[in-house]
């Protein structure tokens, strides 16, 4: 089955053809580790985790690199504000990022390069750019000559002068042109720094990714991904410096970008006070519900995050887990992926269509009584869930996972009392017990094979 992806560089959907079908390469810009990840950080991690799963299904061997930016002025500022060492800040929030993504069922990448581990490669790439006259040293800085790269602006599709006019361009006396961007800058004694031909200093943000891609994946990779906000200047600058360091060779053949995340129809920002941290959302809903909500809309469009959307995601997963619970007595065969489901995902990760196919299988499973069909459908549900990064829990664990102040034994005791009350035709008592359970966040469902319960909080 062919995979089609929307390439930001060509501005059209294209059939994906890897350079080497036995080794597909994918690079995604990871976090700058200075604070806890918010829902905007989580969206690219989840989106490209889905792409990684689809690529592995289609090609088998996929080398997925997602970097950690662990040297940056934001990290330095966070360390100053907290009074902690810079290395402690980077380590603390790297761990927080890993922990939160694990709750969202995001797989670890094949390799996770850190900027501080690639300083030698960064210095080497900068030296090559200087030797080729694409960069210059000035006052302990090294800067890239934007005017020397004639294709600057191709990714964003805008004129370089228009791009630079709309960007926050730092005006500095050491720049030959206002649009030139920093590859290396000096570090004072209280900041991280490394010895270099241009003095003790640290790398600029853009050169870090170019050097890590070269070190981990090679000169030209198959897919480069990230958030829409990275198209300019970050990815535009990556292309410029990488192509100039590699005699014009492309950095990536396909560029993918996910849309912004807004919160209740407002741009997420600290000034508005609506920055939603993943760790806080995890106190409101399971990680799978957050993942579902992030995948509910097509990845290229903006996503409006709402409390109702998260609640709806949880309800949708309840339906899917309910189908699996109905199939609890079926072993589940090896299963196959329904063609319409894979057709949706291979059509530029069309998750809304993929979810529709997932629910169609769940509905069929709910309606059939044939044991063989049940085994097959259960296998399909589990396999579809694996690709989507969902349905990873035992159904009973899922339904018992909400918030309540009752222990499982207390719930079972109350349900047994209610069943006895119904047997005694004491329906008022039975209703009272139902209401009591509901007040503790417990929903019950009467079925021919007995009463089931789940937590709703």
């Amino acid at each position: 089955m062919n995979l089609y992806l929307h390439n930001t560089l060509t501005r059209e959907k294209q059939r994906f053809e890897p350079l080497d079908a036995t080794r597909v390469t994918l690079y995604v810009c990871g976090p700058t580790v200075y604070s806890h990840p918010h829902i905007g950080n989580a969206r690219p991690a989840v989106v490209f985790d889905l792409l990684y799963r689809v690529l592995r299904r289609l090609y088998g061997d996929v080398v997925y690199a997602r970097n950690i930016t662990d040297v940056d002025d934001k990290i330095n500022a966070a360390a100053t504000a907290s009074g902690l060492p810079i290395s402690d800040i980077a380590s603390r929030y790297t761990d927080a990022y890993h922990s939160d993504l694990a709750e969202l069922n995001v797989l670890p990448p094949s390799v996770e390069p850190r900027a501080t581990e690639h300083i030698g490669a960064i210095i080497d790439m900068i030296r090559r750019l200087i030797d080729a006259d694409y960069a210059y040293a000035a006052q302990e800085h090294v800067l890239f000559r934007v005017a020397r790269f004639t294709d600057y602006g191709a990714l964003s599709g805008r004129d370089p002068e228009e791009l630079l006019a709309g960007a926050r361009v730092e005006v500095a006396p050491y720049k030959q042109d206002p649009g030139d961007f920093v590859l290396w800058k000096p570090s004072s004694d209280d900041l991280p720094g490394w010895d270099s031909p241009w003095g003790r200093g640290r790398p600029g943000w853009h050169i870090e990714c170019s050097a890590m891609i070269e070190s981990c994946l090679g000169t030209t990779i198959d897919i480069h991904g990230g958030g829409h906000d990275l198209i300019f200047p970050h990815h535009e600058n990556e292309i410029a410096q990488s192509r100039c360091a590699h005699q014009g060779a492309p950095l990536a053949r396909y560029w993918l970008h996910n849309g912004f995340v807004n919160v209740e129809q407002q741009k997420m920002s600290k000034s508005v006070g609506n920055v939603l941290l993943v760790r806080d959302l995890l106190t409101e809903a399971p990680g799978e519900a957050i993942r579902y909500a992030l995948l509910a809309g097509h990845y290229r469009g903006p996503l409006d995050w709402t409390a109702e959307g998260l609640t709806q995601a949880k309800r949708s997963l309840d339906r899917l887990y309910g189908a699996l619970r109905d199939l609890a007595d079926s072993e589940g065969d090896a299963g196959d992926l329904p063609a319409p489901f894979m057709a949706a995902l291979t059509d530029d990760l069309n998750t809304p269509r993929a979810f529709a196919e997932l629910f169609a299988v769940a509905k069929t499973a709910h309606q059939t009584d044939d044991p063989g069909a049940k085994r097959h459908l259960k296998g399909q549900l589990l396999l579809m869930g694996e690709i989507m990064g969902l349905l990873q829990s035992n159904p009973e664990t899922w339904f018992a996972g909400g918030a309540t102040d009752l222990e499982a034994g207390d719930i079972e005791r109350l349900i047994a009392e209610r069943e006895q009350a119904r047997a005694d035709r004491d329906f008022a008592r039975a209703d009272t017990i139902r209401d009591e359970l509901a007040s503790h966040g417990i929903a019950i469902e009467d079925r021919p094979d007995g009463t089931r319960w789940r937590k709703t909080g």
Side-chain angles (χ1 to χ4, degrees), residues 81-371:
S82 66
L84 294 172
I86 291 169
S87 58
D88 286 4
I89 292 294
S91 177
R92 169 184 294 186
Y93 291 115
T94 297
D95 290 346
Y97 184 75
H98 289 157
S99 176
D100 286 353
L101 291 198
E103 292 289 334
L104 306 187
N105 291 340
V106 173
L107 299 172
S110 312
V111 58
E112 190 176 55
R114 303 188 185 206
T116 56
E117 297 171 351
H118 290 78
I119 299 299
I122 291 168
I123 290 173
D124 178 66
M125 182 173 279
I126 293 173
R127 185 185 288 114
R128 281 181 277 149
L129 289 169
I130 291 176
D131 291 345
D133 200 32
Y134 287 109
Y136 59 93
Q139 298 182 29
E140 298 183 278
H141 290 75
V142 180
L143 298 106
F144 183 86
R145 283 193 174 97
V146 170
R148 284 269 287 136
F149 182 61
T150 57
D151 286 341
Y152 195 76
L155 183 67
S156 51
R158 293 161 61 187
D159 181 84
E161 292 186 7
E162 178 189 355
L163 281 173
L164 296 173
R168 296 179 179 177
V169 175
E170 179 189 2
V171 178
Y174 48 78
K175 286 188 176 185
Q176 294 180 359
D177 186 279
D180 293 349
F181 59 86
V182 171
L183 302 176
W184 189 265
K185 53 190 172 184
S187 290
S188 57
D189 292 341
D190 60 326
L191 294 176
W194 293 264
D195 292 333
S196 80
W198 317 286
R200 182 180 182 276
R202 60 196 191 278
W205 175 33
H206 314 302
I207 193 70
E208 294 173 357
C209 283
S210 286
M212 287 186 281
I213 289 171
E214 181 186 66
S215 296
C216 298
L217 300 177
T219 298
T220 299
I221 64 173
D222 290 312
I223 302 171
H224 194 314
H228 187 273
D229 57 311
L230 298 182
I231 294 176
F232 184 85
H234 186 50
H235 289 167
E236 201 79 73
N237 291 352
E238 277 187 56
I239 290 173
Q241 62 205 8
S242 291
R243 283 188 55 192
C244 292
H246 297 136
Q247 296 77 49
L251 171 57
R253 300 173 64 245
Y254 301 84
W255 288 84
L256 274 65
H257 294 93
N258 64 272
F260 293 105
V261 177
N262 297 317
V263 177
E264 304 286 355
Q265 300 183 338
Q266 282 190 302
K267 181 179 179 180
M268 187 167 57
S269 69
K270 290 182 179 178
S271 60
V272 176
N274 64 349
V275 176
L276 299 180
L277 300 182
V278 174
R279 67 169 184 166
D280 293 336
L281 289 170
L282 286 168
T283 67
E284 302 175 13
E288 282 195 14
I290 297 171
R291 182 184 179 98
Y292 187 108
L294 287 169
L295 293 175
H298 194 278
Y299 79 93
R300 285 200 299 116
L303 177 69
D304 186 35
W305 185 272
T306 66
E308 175 55 32
L310 183 57
T311 299
Q312 183 57 51
K314 174 66 166 57
R315 290 178 186 145
S316 296
L317 284 167
D318 283 347
R319 289 172 56 196
L320 295 173
Y321 271 110
L324 282 177
R325 186 165 64 176
D326 289 343
L327 297 169
D329 294 334
S330 301
E331 284 296 323
D333 59 22
D336 56 6
L337 286 169
F341 174 78
M342 281 305 292
L345 290 181
T346 55
D347 181 16
D348 197 29
L349 300 183
N350 191 329
T351 50
R353 273 178 49 202
F355 276 128
E357 297 301 330
L358 187 55
F359 279 102
V361 172
K363 181 179 180 180
T364 302
H366 182 71
Q367 293 173 338
T368 186
D369 292 322
D370 179 74

Side-chain angles (χ1 to χ4, degrees), residues 43-98:
R43 191 180 193 194
V46 168
V47 164
F48 291 104
D49 176 69
L50 175 61
L51 176 61
Y52 179 38
R53 291 167 184 262
V54 171
L55 288 170
R56 291 201 311 178
R57 179 74 183 179
L58 296 175
Y59 296 97
D61 187 12
V62 179
V63 184
Y64 173 25
R66 187 188 65 217
N67 76 294
I68 296 287
T69 297
D70 58 350
V71 53
D72 187 86
D73 289 346
K74 291 180 179 178
I75 301 174
N76 302 339
T80 299
S82 66
L84 294 172
I86 291 169
S87 58
D88 286 4
I89 292 294
S91 177
R92 169 184 294 186
Y93 291 115
T94 297
D95 290 346
Y97 184 75
H98 289 157

